[in-house]
Amino acid sequence: MKIAIYPGSFDPITKGHLNIIERASKIFDRLIVCVMVNAEKNPMFTQSEREDMIRRVTAHLGNVEVDASNELLANYAQRKGSCVIVKGLRAVSDFEHEFQMALINRSINPQLDTMFLTAEHEYMYLSSSVVRELGSYHVSLEDYVPEILIDEVTKRINKANSK
Ligand code: ADP
């Protein structure tokens, strides 16, 4: 069974992330979407909010599961019996960092490969930080966030910005 891990911050999950999840779920037998909890980052959405949102928008995908971890990704993948990390590539600017991470992960866990899926052209400029920024200016998020999350994400961004 081919198990892949799709790691990220998902702060919050966007249509770009969901597009990668849907495509990767067709390639692998099992896909684990993992919210990477990084002590240095200060996310807008809590870990459980991020996990819950991913669960709801992937409920239609039977082979996708959602998890969270603060472990080193290479060790996490090994523990889960996975030998593939899936990453989305938006532009050349993503490439250098991702290339470095892929090589580091492989040096820690030589069984581990990283597979890059190119972003869909309409999501090339989409990131969670764009969503947080546009939301704070009350721009409609319908093109950026999965439909069922729009209200909740919009309210949550407003709440965070009113503090
Ligand atoms: P960001 O905060 O930049 O949105 P994440 O850390 O949550 O990113 O991203 C997790 C993974 O998803 C990374 O591999 C990233 O390159 C990829 N990704 C993020 N946004 C998109 C998108 N719009 N299209 C394709 N891949 C994406």
Side-chain angles (χ1 to χ4, degrees):
M1 174 139 98
K2 285 267 174 265
I3 305 170
I5 314 279
Y6 178 40
S9 308
F10 307 107
D11 187 35
I13 186 165
T14 68
K15 283 189 170 180
H17 293 129
L18 185 56
N19 175 263
I20 297 289
I21 294 171
E22 285 172 340
R23 288 158 58 201
S25 76
K26 290 189 193 131
I27 301 171
F28 298 101
D29 300 308
R30 221 176 116 201
L31 179 70
I32 304 173
V33 182
C34 186
V35 176
M36 300 311 288
V37 183
N38 182 338
E40 282 170 25
K41 283 195 181 171
N42 187 12
M44 177 178 277
F45 294 80
T46 66
Q47 176 193 323
S48 65
E49 282 172 331
R50 287 180 279 158
E51 279 185 74
D52 178 63
M53 288 189 287
I54 303 169
R55 269 196 196 99
R56 281 154 56 201
V57 298
T58 58
H60 61 297
L61 302 167
N63 63 343
V64 171
E65 60 192 84
V66 183
D67 194 12
S69 174
N70 59 6
E71 242 174 291
L72 198 62
L73 182 57
N75 295 342
Y76 174 82
Q78 192 160 33
R79 187 166 63 77
K80 289 288 176 178
S82 166
C83 52
V84 186
I85 303 290
V86 172
K87 287 282 183 151
L89 266 192
R90 283 162 290 192
V92 180
S93 53
D94 274 347
F95 181 79
E96 195 160 338
H97 175 70
E98 295 295 355
F99 190 64
Q100 183 185 27
M101 293 308 297
L103 292 179
I104 291 171
N105 283 329
R106 207 166 154 75
S107 74
I108 298 167
N109 174 355
Q111 312 302 320
L112 194 57
D113 252 309
T114 301
M115 206 175 93
F116 295 100
L117 294 183
T118 49
E120 208 66 79
H121 65 93
E122 67 257 54
Y123 304 134
M124 262 191 73
Y125 300 102
L126 181 53
S127 66
S128 298
S129 57
V130 163
V131 167
R132 295 194 302 272
E133 173 138 19
L134 294 180
S136 73
Y137 289 104
H138 310 290
V139 173
S140 161
L141 297 181
E142 67 182 335
D143 288 342
Y144 312 117
V145 170
E147 174 101 42
I148 56 169
L149 299 179
I150 293 174
D151 280 352
E152 177 182 335
V153 168
T154 305
K155 281 187 194 138
R156 193 62 181 68
I157 293 173
N158 289 336
K159 190 173 153 202
N161 286 316
S162 65
K163 275 184 189 161

